[in-house]
Amino acid sequence: MDTSEPRTLLIGGGHAHLAVLADWIKNGLPSPDAAILTPSPHLRYSGTVPGWIAGEYARDEGLVDVAGLAKAAGAQLILDRCVSLDANTRTVLTQNNGVQKFEIASIDTGGVGRAGSVLGDDPRVIDVRPIDGFVDEVARRLASKAVQNIAVIGGGAGGVELAFGLRNRTGASRLTVIEGAGGLLPSFGSSARRLVKAELTAQGITTLFGDARFVDDVLFAGKQPLEHVELIIAALGTAAPDWPHVSGLATNNAGFIAVDRYQRSLSHPHIFAVGDVAARQDREVPRSGVHAVHAGPIVAANIRAAAQGNCPSKSYRPRPASLYLLSTGDGAAVATYGPIAAKGRWAGKLKRWIDKRWLASYARLSGKM
């Protein structure tokens, strides 16, 4: 059993915690015994996964070396997974029965998939979460046989990009996006929805309105059956893991850790939470990698303040609009910023440039470039 007691403990190696590690590399550790607890030495950047499927990236091109960042920062690396947390005693129980104590903690473990709770068990279904398991399973399925009938469940940005990637990877004779009751790209403007819908049609991808469900092993979109589907991708968003609800931490009705404008737990101010596992209570912040990345430096500053005995003062304020680049799997992309949207190969080049620049910034910090 590991009984070391890091004063400052990062729980999870998510996108925001990359920025915290970067801060520690540049400005020193907030305390001499700081540590990160994460199940993997790498983070897979989800933004490159549709491009990998489409053949625009190598499979591991989107990996960030979390272990290298921890080493460069001088932080202890604990390769294990949090399975429970006691906010009052300030202890974490890990999957390998280790106990980690802390004085200040930050949680960025991400959420969990919703396929099981929404659809039940079916061997054809692959949940997008966790992303590493998704990549492994997609690679295995597509290598084992030619797949001709694919359904993607979820009409958000993730589902759309995966559908485009699969169209250009597999050449399946039938590919369907089941949009859900919210419709196609419900959080985007009408111009973006129109461009994406036109591109889906141009690539021979069918869209169906309505929620997905199984009836006697047949997949339905609303009342319409989809016969002989061989592969089902569940891009249904994220659910809260079970452990925060029983940790003593305040959670919202969906089980996500309730935090204030400083990303602090409402019930335990010595604990921060960020990314998909957290829910701001002062304002609505969509669960998106864009917001997790931008919140990272804010969390880093607030952790450092708390470790020095000061009150956190930084708050992440989402911009009124964010730039999104939705890959169409053929080298192009749809660029959207608020109500404005445009499509072209220039947008695809811009997306790849942004992705690679972001990955390269962490490669340099970890000493890999």
Side-chain angles (χ1 to χ4, degrees):
M1 179 179 292
D2 186 350
T3 57
S4 61
E5 300 182 13
R7 181 175 185 271
T8 305
L9 179 64
L10 304 183
I11 303 171
H15 292 79
H17 278 176
L18 294 182
V20 177
L21 290 173
D23 173 76
W24 292 2
I25 292 170
K26 295 172 183 176
N27 302 310
L29 297 177
S31 59
D33 44 6
I36 180 168
L37 167 69
T38 180
S40 173
H42 298 94
L43 167 73
R44 186 176 296 279
Y45 175 45
S46 58
T48 61
V49 171
W52 160 69
I53 292 176
E56 296 174 342
Y57 297 95
R59 175 171 171 170
D60 291 339
E61 195 172 350
L63 293 182
V64 178
D65 185 4
V66 176
L69 293 172
K71 182 178 180 180
Q76 180 187 359
L77 174 67
I78 306 165
L79 290 177
D80 208 340
R81 185 184 303 275
C82 169
V83 294
S84 68
L85 181 146
D86 189 318
N88 295 318
T89 63
R90 306 192 188 204
T91 56
V92 174
L93 177 65
T94 72
Q95 192 170 49
N96 294 326
N97 294 318
V99 174
Q100 298 295 330
K101 296 185 178 181
F102 61 87
E103 292 184 34
I104 297 169
S106 177
I107 304 169
D108 184 18
T109 57
V112 298
R114 300 178 61 233
S117 61
V118 173
L119 301 171
D121 293 327
D122 188 286
R124 295 168 293 177
V125 176
I126 308 176
D127 202 319
V128 170
R129 291 175 171 81
I131 195 66
D132 280 312
F134 172 76
V135 167
D136 290 343
E137 189 61 16
V138 166
R140 186 186 70 81
R141 299 274 189 103
L142 296 184
S144 62
K145 66 174 183 176
V147 180
Q148 293 300 320
N149 193 338
I150 301 173
V152 176
I153 303 176
V160 164
E161 285 196 293
L162 289 171
F164 283 130
L166 288 163
R167 162 58 70 217
N168 288 274
R169 170 72 173 266
T170 66
S173 59
R174 183 173 181 184
L175 205 158
T176 306
V177 173
I178 301 177
E179 300 174 3
L184 187 69
L185 298 176
S187 62
F188 287 75
S190 58
S191 295
R193 290 197 297 269
R194 184 168 58 253
L195 285 174
V196 169
K197 176 66 174 178
E199 183 62 23
L200 289 166
T201 301
Q203 293 197 27
I205 301 172
T206 302
T207 58
L208 296 176
F209 179 79
D211 288 331
R213 61 194 174 95
F214 284 104
V215 178
D216 296 330
D217 295 329
V218 176
L219 179 64
F220 277 72
K223 296 182 178 181
Q224 183 170 342
L226 282 75
E227 300 284 354
H228 309 301
V229 175
E230 300 168 81
L231 178 64
I232 301 168
I233 304 298
L236 293 166
T238 188
D242 293 331
W243 60 264
H245 181 66
V246 296
S247 66
L249 292 170
T251 59
N252 69 1
N253 292 335
F256 296 99
I257 299 170
V259 297
D260 64 12
R261 62 183 296 185
Y262 307 115
Q263 303 296 148
R264 293 181 306 185
S265 162
L266 294 189
S267 57
H268 295 79
H270 60 280
I271 296 176
F272 297 84
V274 64
D276 281 353
V277 76
R280 285 272 292 269
Q281 299 302 290
D282 62 304
R283 66 185 305 159
E284 182 70 25
V285 178
R287 284 189 172 77
S288 164
V290 169
H291 297 297
V293 168
H294 288 310
I298 302 299
V299 175
N302 288 340
I303 290 172
R304 186 172 296 278
Q308 294 172 350
N310 300 320
C311 292
S313 61
K314 303 292 185 180
S315 178
Y316 170 58
R317 299 176 179 85
R319 301 168 184 169
S322 296
L323 174 66
Y324 288 92
L325 295 159
L326 305 179
S327 171
T328 55
D330 56 359
V334 173
T336 173
Y337 186 85
I340 303 169
K343 174 187 172 291
R345 299 191 72 82
W346 62 269
K349 291 179 180 178
L350 178 61
K351 174 176 172 54
R352 290 186 291 277
W353 178 79
I354 291 173
D355 287 346
K356 291 181 179 181
R357 184 185 63 168
W358 185 81
L359 291 166
S361 70
Y362 285 107
R364 285 192 293 271
L365 285 172
S366 64
K368 299 299 182 182
M369 287 185 67

